[in-house]
Amino acid sequence: MIFKAKNGASIIERIEVDESEALCQYPAIDHALIIVKMEDDYLLGWHKWRDDYETFGGLMDRGENLRECINRECEEELGIKDMDYEYLGVLHTYMPPGYWVKEWHEEYGGIYGITLPKTMLSAIEQNRLDREEIGEIAFYSELKRRGEKIDEINEALLAFYP
């Protein structure tokens, strides 16, 4: 076990498996997440339905592979596309009941990272498409300074892309 949040949510392991083989070896993969580093800080989004700040990403659409999923999610939530996302492996987690799944459950998802210059922040804010789900974006350091609610597991994910 890598991390356990106060609510019991856990990061069980990060699995190092080739991106092209991930879905074959772990057919339960159903989402992809991305850690966005902007120079010396991280960018997080306020998820309206979960009521906290977290990393970006989402569920795979039928027929998508991990790369297609993260490309689509980044275009929707960050307004960026065709970027050089770094594949970091597959995360195996144990998650509490929540918005989509109503009981404790295991999840598998691809994890990616990208480093962008802070000068891209205004373009991201202007171009992001999904403002219903991700209501606001902000830097991790500013959120910590303000004492904002950051999802513990998502905060722990930042260590995967130092």
Side-chain angles (χ1 to χ4, degrees):
M1 174 146 347
I2 295 173
F3 175 80
K4 187 169 186 173
K6 291 178 192 132
N7 70 353
S10 303
I11 300 173
I12 298 169
E13 62 184 328
R14 181 175 63 91
I15 304 163
E16 293 184 29
V17 59
D18 187 80
E19 182 180 19
S20 64
E21 294 295 316
L23 287 170
C24 296
Q25 293 184 35
Y26 297 91
I29 293 172
D30 67 354
H31 65 279
L33 303 173
I34 190 157
I35 301 162
V36 179
K37 190 168 186 182
M38 297 191 90
E39 297 170 18
D40 60 344
D41 211 341
Y42 294 94
L43 190 64
L44 297 175
W46 177 260
H47 195 286
K48 287 184 176 180
W49 300 314
R50 286 194 282 264
D51 195 33
D52 57 28
Y53 282 93
E54 56 188 37
T55 57
F56 302 93
L59 294 172
M60 295 172 63
D61 285 345
R62 184 180 304 276
E64 273 186 330
N65 63 36
L66 284 170
R67 183 66 55 158
E68 291 165 336
C69 177
I70 205 61
N71 277 321
R72 178 182 50 76
E73 289 290 343
C74 284
E75 185 172 3
E76 290 172 3
E77 295 181 359
L78 295 163
I80 59 176
K81 58 183 176 177
D82 302 322
M83 303 295 282
D84 189 20
Y85 310 114
E86 183 180 343
Y87 171 72
L88 304 173
V90 171
L91 279 185
H92 177 197
T93 57
Y94 185 61
M95 302 299 289
Y99 186 80
W100 286 278
V101 181
K102 303 301 182 196
E103 63 274 337
W104 281 91
H105 60 283
E106 291 185 51
E107 291 183 0
Y108 289 86
I111 185 165
Y112 292 81
I114 190 166
T115 301
L116 301 170
K118 285 186 176 178
T119 56
M120 282 191 67
L121 186 62
S122 61
I124 287 172
E125 186 57 61
Q126 181 178 9
N127 295 324
R128 61 193 189 90
L129 304 172
D130 188 352
R131 294 170 188 273
E132 183 179 345
E133 182 179 353
I134 305 299
E136 174 184 329
I137 58 174
F139 285 115
Y140 175 73
S141 62
E142 176 65 16
L143 297 171
K144 291 297 277 186
R145 187 187 65 72
R146 294 187 334 221
E148 297 284 350
K149 184 179 174 189
I150 302 171
D151 180 78
E152 277 186 277
I153 234 169
N154 280 270
E155 191 170 15
L157 290 178
L158 302 180
F160 289 108
Y161 196 64

